[in-house]
Amino acid sequence: MKHKHYIEEVLNITFIEPQSLKPTEGFDPQRASELMLSIKNRNKWTTPIMVEKNHLVIMDGHHRHQVAQMLNLKMIPCILLSYDNPLLKLSSRINNLKVDS
């Protein structure tokens, strides 16, 4: 299988200390509070944070990262990815922002 290593990369969850992660964007405090209540009500964390594996830069999950800090969690589930992964598709939620991938 040509991309076996990259598939395994996406399926591997690693637990990392929240303070080790490097955010690259802001977050909406109201959205973070809503997410925190949802996680507390379910009493479980359901979605890992996507992190660039070499520098621990948050790729997706800034609100979840903030919630982890608000809840003083020691470790959080992350998926370590590489921008070299051909299975990784980059996109933006910002209107009119073009991303080449």
Side-chain angles (χ1 to χ4, degrees):
M1 179 181 280
K2 183 178 179 181
H3 298 299
K4 182 180 179 189
H5 166 74
Y6 294 114
I7 292 171
E8 290 172 355
E9 177 181 78
V10 172
L11 297 176
N12 192 17
I13 295 177
T14 303
F15 288 87
I16 299 176
E17 296 174 343
Q19 63 271 19
S20 298
L21 301 180
K22 297 174 181 84
T24 58
E25 61 186 55
F27 64 93
D28 176 355
Q30 182 175 345
R31 172 71 183 116
S33 293
E34 291 168 358
L35 182 58
M36 182 179 70
L37 288 174
S38 174
I39 289 170
K40 287 174 78 173
N41 288 338
R42 287 183 301 203
N43 199 30
K44 63 181 171 181
W45 191 283
T46 60
T47 307
I49 294 175
M50 304 296 161
V51 177
E52 190 280 326
K53 69 181 182 179
N54 294 316
H55 301 98
L56 299 181
V57 171
I58 298 171
M59 300 167 80
D60 183 55
H62 288 83
H63 288 95
R64 283 172 272 145
H65 177 251
Q66 182 61 30
V67 167
Q69 293 179 320
M70 292 164 67
L71 294 173
N72 294 316
L73 299 180
K74 303 284 186 226
M75 305 290 274
I76 52 176
C78 298
I79 296 178
L80 300 177
L81 299 169
S82 167
Y83 280 111
D84 295 335
N85 186 330
L87 303 175
L88 182 66
K89 300 293 181 195
L90 300 178
S91 65
S92 172
R93 294 184 182 160
I94 300 172
N95 292 336
N96 300 321
L97 179 67
K98 296 188 184 207
V99 178
D100 294 327
S101 61

